[in-house]
């Protein structure tokens, strides 16, 4: 059974930082590309960061220079370090594991940026 479990969300003030984690089980984690998405009310889900099986990374323009994605294959975990958070970063954040046509989603973790 495949499970992706996100954690690390919460309430943070503008300018603050959070680190999200996504722990995977039931898959050969190291060969999967991993992605972080987010969705806020009334908006489409958007990809914010990705890291390939070879650790090549990509970011949405809106988070470049503020967010960093990384992975620890020994722990079957992908991370999203979020710095200089803005109110517009408020959303549910989801991780996704991708391998060609196979894809799995986590349940999401809420991030709220507010004073």
């Amino acid at each position: 059974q495949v499970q992706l479990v996100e954690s690390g969300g919460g309430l943070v003030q503008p300018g603050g930082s959070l680190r999200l984690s996504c722990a995977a089980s039931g898959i050969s984690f190291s060969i999967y590309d991993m992605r972080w998405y987010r969705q806020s009310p009334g908006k489409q889900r958007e990809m914010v960061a990705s890291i390939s099986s070879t650790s090549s990374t990509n970011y949405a323009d809106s988070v470049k220079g503020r967010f960093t994605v990384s992975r620890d294959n020994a722990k079957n975990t992908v991370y999203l370090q979020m710095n200089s958070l803005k109110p517009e970063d408020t959303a549910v954040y989801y991780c996704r594991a991708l391998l060609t046509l196979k894809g799995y989603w986590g349940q999401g973790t809420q991030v709220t940026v507010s004073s």
Side-chain angles (χ1 to χ4, degrees):
Q1 181 182 359
V2 177
Q3 279 195 310
L4 299 176
V5 180
E6 299 99 333
S7 61
L11 174 64
V12 63
Q13 291 188 340
S17 298
L18 283 174
R19 188 176 83 152
L20 306 183
S21 300
C22 171
S25 59
I27 58 172
S28 297
F29 178 79
S30 64
I31 66 173
Y32 276 74
D33 293 343
M34 300 298 296
R35 297 179 180 181
W36 285 98
Y37 289 77
R38 68 185 180 188
Q39 188 169 23
S40 49
K43 293 189 177 180
Q44 285 191 328
R45 193 171 294 191
E46 62 171 347
M47 191 180 76
V48 295
S50 66
I51 184 165
S52 72
S53 59
T54 58
S55 294
S56 174
T57 59
N58 276 294
Y59 298 92
D61 287 343
S62 58
V63 307
K64 275 181 184 174
R66 300 188 297 123
F67 290 12
T68 303
V69 60
S70 62
R71 65 190 298 159
D72 185 338
N73 290 338
K75 296 182 178 179
N76 289 355
T77 300
V78 61
Y79 303 98
L80 186 67
Q81 177 66 45
M82 305 186 295
N83 299 329
S84 302
L85 282 161
K86 305 175 181 180
E88 51 263 43
D89 294 319
T90 295
V92 178
Y93 284 72
Y94 300 88
C95 69
R96 181 161 170 78
L98 277 171
L99 179 64
T100 58
L101 298 181
K102 289 184 184 178
Y104 304 98
W105 289 97
Q107 84 290 346
T109 186
Q110 176 71 46
V111 171
T112 302
V113 185
S114 175
S115 55

